[in-house]
Amino acid sequence: MSSTVLRMPGSSLMSRLKVYDTRTVDGQIGGTPHMHLVCTEMYFVLGGRGAVEIIDKDGFSCVPLEPNDALLFSAGTIHRLINPYGELEILVMMQNSGLPERGDNVVTFPEAYLTNDEAYAEAMRVTTLEEAYQRRDRGVEGFMQLKAAFEKSPEAGQAALDQFYAFAEARTAVRRPEWQRLIEQGA
């Protein structure tokens, strides 16, 4: 019998996360919608039930989560955890440890925040729980705009998503050389 040993990629990050259990501006209970430009991410459900709302080139989808489920999504996938019962706890596994802290994580803020450096920095700053909720809710506002565009038509949704990707790309352009060095050098 032959066996294959699978190894985690270098610089992987794992963290245990309890998902927000408070209501957002759209009435859902959950987290901050965002995407990563260069990191693949996986959620493994440790306990509770919930869902992940996703926006990608195929539009909006909602994937239910139950204990022991695993969901893997690639860079460029906008995602938002939903915690309707207040009990969702997951293990997050992320490629390229350190990059999310260096700006790879782009929140789905409305355009006014994405196109203005000072406004984006202020919206991302979190020193209190109240500021964390404000950041999340601003992200939900932008997420709702993207979702509404896909509900209007696939073409309108794709145009809105392309615009968001362009804003995210411009927002992170100066960081890309540093990211490339970190990826090449590994952990």
Side-chain angles (χ1 to χ4, degrees):
M1 169 165 58
S2 76
S3 64
T4 302
V5 176
L6 300 176
R7 300 191 192 291
M8 290 291 291
S11 300
S12 295
L13 167 77
M14 291 201 291
S15 58
R16 189 175 191 146
L17 174 71
K18 287 190 174 187
V19 181
Y20 284 129
D21 59 0
T22 56
R23 291 209 182 274
T24 65
V25 293
D26 68 345
Q28 295 272 26
I29 297 172
T32 304
H34 65 282
M35 72 157 192
H36 301 276
L37 283 96
V38 295
C39 293
T40 296
E41 188 171 15
M42 186 175 95
Y43 292 160
F44 180 81
V45 181
L46 298 171
R49 293 178 295 135
V52 177
E53 291 185 336
I54 293 172
I55 296 177
D56 62 13
K57 64 178 180 51
D58 296 320
F60 173 81
S61 61
C62 185
V63 179
L65 295 175
E66 301 282 337
N68 300 314
D69 282 352
L71 178 64
L72 178 72
F73 38 91
S74 61
T77 302
I78 297 170
H79 50 286
R80 170 191 185 198
L81 282 162
I82 301 298
N83 187 15
Y85 309 104
E87 61 187 23
L88 185 59
E89 188 172 351
I90 63 172
L91 179 65
V92 178
M93 289 167 261
M94 181 162 305
Q95 175 188 35
N96 300 323
S97 175
L99 291 188
E101 296 80 10
R102 289 180 171 89
D104 171 59
N105 169 12
V106 178
V107 175
T108 57
F109 295 136
E111 181 177 341
Y113 295 96
L114 293 170
T115 57
N116 180 292
D117 290 340
E118 293 84 25
Y120 189 83
E122 182 63 29
M124 287 297 287
R125 186 174 346 233
V126 171
T127 58
T128 67
L129 186 57
E130 184 57 38
E131 288 174 344
Y133 292 147
Q134 289 171 359
R135 176 177 64 186
R136 177 202 56 194
D137 288 345
R138 284 187 192 111
V140 170
E141 289 172 16
F143 185 87
M144 290 172 16
Q145 292 170 354
L146 288 168
K147 183 179 173 186
F150 274 104
E151 289 169 349
K152 183 176 179 183
S153 74
E155 296 78 19
Q158 189 60 55
L161 183 60
D162 289 345
Q163 176 101 50
F164 175 78
Y165 286 157
F167 291 149
E169 191 76 27
R171 169 134 314 283
T172 60
V174 298
R175 296 183 170 166
R176 289 186 172 270
E178 175 190 11
W179 295 352
Q180 188 61 40
R181 280 192 305 279
L182 289 169
I183 291 169
E184 288 170 359
Q185 293 171 359

